[in-house]
Amino acid sequence: MKIQTVSVFVDDQQRALEFYTEKLGFALAADVPMGEFRWLTVVDPAAPEGTQLSLEPKAHPAVPPFTDALLEDGIPFFVLGVDDVQAEYERLQGLGVEFTQPPIDHGPVTTAVLSDTVGNLLQIAAFA
């Protein structure tokens, strides 16, 4: 058994696709029309058979209160592993990505928190 797909809820699927591919560097894995929305997934280009991230529309009534509460409390929806948080922070800032927390060294891990522009905070982290 393996994790195949994990969902992140987004305000706008097209904007999410652009952010996750053009800024974060993921590759499009699936784009299937499904009525008003799309089955839209991205994947690490270095591991195209790896876990996909579904850019899921916030269509279910339970989703907006949940994601709004996380955002208001400054809680990242998920964590992305990087080799060097400071370098990734600088690269993403150069692309206009907004950070709510600059890199912080917590000893065994360094983290930073950014906005994905579609309703979520994401954390980047590197373990020492």
Side-chain angles (χ1 to χ4, degrees):
M1 189 175 305
K2 66 179 181 175
I3 298 172
Q4 181 170 331
T5 307
V6 176
S7 295
V8 61
F9 301 107
V10 300
D11 295 333
D12 180 298
Q13 286 186 297
Q14 185 58 40
R15 272 194 9 245
L17 177 61
E18 292 164 7
F19 181 84
Y20 282 79
T21 57
E22 296 171 14
K23 307 286 187 186
L24 299 184
F26 289 99
L28 177 65
D31 189 353
V32 179
M34 305 219 24
E36 180 183 350
F37 302 110
R38 298 146 66 182
W39 173 253
L40 187 58
T41 64
V42 295
V43 68
D44 177 351
E49 300 302 317
T51 302
Q52 294 182 15
L53 180 64
S54 174
L55 305 175
E56 194 79 31
K58 291 183 178 180
H60 189 281
V63 174
F66 167 70
T67 56
D68 290 349
L70 291 177
L71 193 60
E72 285 177 27
D73 288 346
I75 299 172
F77 196 85
F78 62 84
V79 179
L80 295 166
V82 298
D83 292 329
D84 182 330
V85 171
Q86 185 65 43
E88 196 62 23
Y89 172 78
E90 291 170 10
R91 182 188 79 78
L92 291 170
Q93 273 201 314
L95 294 172
V97 173
E98 176 189 332
F99 279 79
T100 61
Q101 176 204 299
I104 296 176
D105 184 344
H106 303 278
V109 65
T110 300
T111 65
V113 178
L114 61 106
S115 168
D116 73 355
T117 74
V118 287
N120 303 289
L121 296 177
L122 310 179
Q123 185 175 70
I124 56 174
F127 288 88

